[in-house]
Amino acid sequence: IQQLSQVFDTYQQGSVALDRIRELLAVPVSVPESEHPVDPGRVVGELVFDDVSFAYAGAPELALQDVSLTIDPGETVAFVGETGAGKSTLVKLAARLYDPTDGRILVDGEPLRDLALGPFRRQLGYVPQEAFLFTGTVRDNIAYARPDASDAEVEAAARAVGAHDFVSHLPSGYLQPVVERGRSLSSGQRQLIALARAQLVDPAILVLDEATANLDLATEAQVVRAMGRVSEGRTTLLIAHRLQSAARADRIVMLDHGEVVEVGAHADLVAAGGPYAALWATYTGEEIIDVTGVGSRPGPA
């Protein structure tokens, strides 16, 4: 009788879980596949935002407005601005998690809407602020997007981002068990594994959602070096909350209330004395130079 009652309880739990899974699978996708999808082949990495505007469903205001921007293959572009400026929205549109309300996005000259989603997204690498690690081993987590990767390929990816040193010192090395969300590892170790995961995928377009935001300064320096190695030769979109990360980019795009207000290299934007220069001065506590010649004022600490 006890065994039957346990079976009945398990059946009830499974039935509820199955109903929830069915409800989730029944939700219509927000970005349907094109009727005649185009296989992008190996993506070169050119991104063109052509007069792009976007509003979230039910939102009274546009999250992005009239954004026109060209990102060259292999270029690292940092997006900066206050919270809600549209940085994450712009990157989500590039990954086609949403479609623009107006305008269009081109990838290597092809409209993003027309590209086959699977082949395109398999060439995207994404490293968030807090990397999610699954229950399993270190090797499983690095090879998450390429479970068929060989041990040599997994180790090569770890070596490329500087993760091999700490992995090799774990009691079981690459077979070290990882608990859910990677709680058995430090924040820096989790980020290095996430970067190794992106390196193994060999993406044409890499998205870095400020992977150093939650790290101490010593660990941040190590992860920043790893980010630089992963981004080599790839189009890289960097959402920058810490401006020292943005300063290393080829170009910086300053967003304000969904509009692009400045674009240029770090040194040029600081010298221009515009919105980015003011933001940099606020961040560093340096003096803001008034390019109008009226005078100067100290930046807030």
Side-chain angles (χ1 to χ4, degrees):
I1 292 174
Q2 288 178 342
Q3 289 176 345
L4 285 174
S5 66
Q6 291 174 359
V7 170
F8 181 72
D9 181 61
T10 302
Y11 168 78
Q12 292 283 48
Q13 293 181 30
S15 177
V16 172
L18 184 59
D19 287 341
R20 291 178 178 174
I21 291 172
R22 285 172 174 165
E23 290 175 2
L24 178 62
L25 293 177
V27 175
V29 295
S30 57
V31 284
E33 187 82 80
S34 171
E35 292 184 3
H36 304 286
V38 176
D39 187 344
R42 176 59 182 179
V43 173
V44 177
E46 182 190 52
L47 290 172
V48 177
F49 295 84
D50 183 12
D51 204 21
V52 170
S53 296
F54 177 75
Y56 289 99
E61 298 180 355
L62 291 172
L64 291 174
Q65 184 172 352
D66 303 327
V67 173
S68 292
L69 178 69
T70 298
I71 300 174
D72 296 327
E75 185 178 23
T76 297
V77 177
F79 298 95
V80 303
E82 297 179 356
T83 301
K87 305 184 295 295
S88 295
T89 300
L90 198 65
V91 170
K92 289 175 182 177
L93 290 177
R96 210 191 164 205
L97 299 181
Y98 301 99
D99 284 328
T101 306
D102 292 302
R104 61 178 185 162
I105 299 173
L106 304 176
V107 177
D108 296 347
E110 290 282 350
L112 181 54
R113 287 176 184 265
D114 295 342
L115 298 183
L117 279 174
F120 172 68
R121 286 183 176 161
R122 279 193 290 271
Q123 299 185 66
L124 293 176
Y126 176 64
V127 181
Q129 291 184 33
E130 183 64 33
F132 189 94
L133 301 187
F134 300 90
T135 301
T137 65
V138 170
R139 185 204 182 282
D140 294 337
N141 276 279
I142 294 176
Y144 172 68
R146 281 190 57 200
D148 59 337
S150 66
D151 291 344
E153 289 174 320
V154 170
E155 182 176 328
R159 286 182 181 276
V161 301
H164 177 74
D165 289 343
F166 93 81
V167 173
S168 62
H169 285 88
L170 295 174
S172 300
Y174 286 88
L175 299 181
Q176 177 73 19
V178 176
V179 300
E180 186 176 355
R181 303 191 71 88
R183 291 190 299 270
S184 55
L185 300 172
S186 69
S187 296
Q189 290 172 338
R190 291 196 295 269
Q191 291 302 82
L192 288 175
I193 289 176
L195 288 165
R197 179 189 291 170
Q199 174 73 21
L200 184 62
V201 173
D202 189 23
I205 300 173
L206 179 65
V207 177
L208 300 173
D209 189 356
E210 191 49 275
T212 62
N214 300 321
L215 305 178
D216 59 77
L217 293 178
T219 307
E220 179 185 2
Q222 183 181 9
V223 173
V224 166
R225 288 193 296 270
M227 287 167 54
R229 289 190 287 268
V230 175
S231 63
E232 287 179 2
R234 298 183 174 94
T235 301
T236 303
L237 310 180
L238 171 64
I239 300 176
H241 301 290
R242 293 186 177 181
L243 292 188
Q244 70 262 37
S245 298
R248 300 183 180 93
D250 298 320
R251 277 193 301 161
I252 296 168
V253 177
M254 176 84 180
L255 291 162
D256 184 35
H257 292 90
E259 297 184 37
V260 175
V261 294
E262 277 190 310
V263 180
H266 169 76
D268 296 336
L269 293 181
V270 171
Y276 177 79
L279 190 65
W280 178 258
T282 301
Y283 182 77
T284 61
E286 296 176 353
E287 185 179 74
I288 301 174
I289 304 299
D290 185 351
V291 297
T292 63
V294 176
S296 63
R297 61 186 177 86

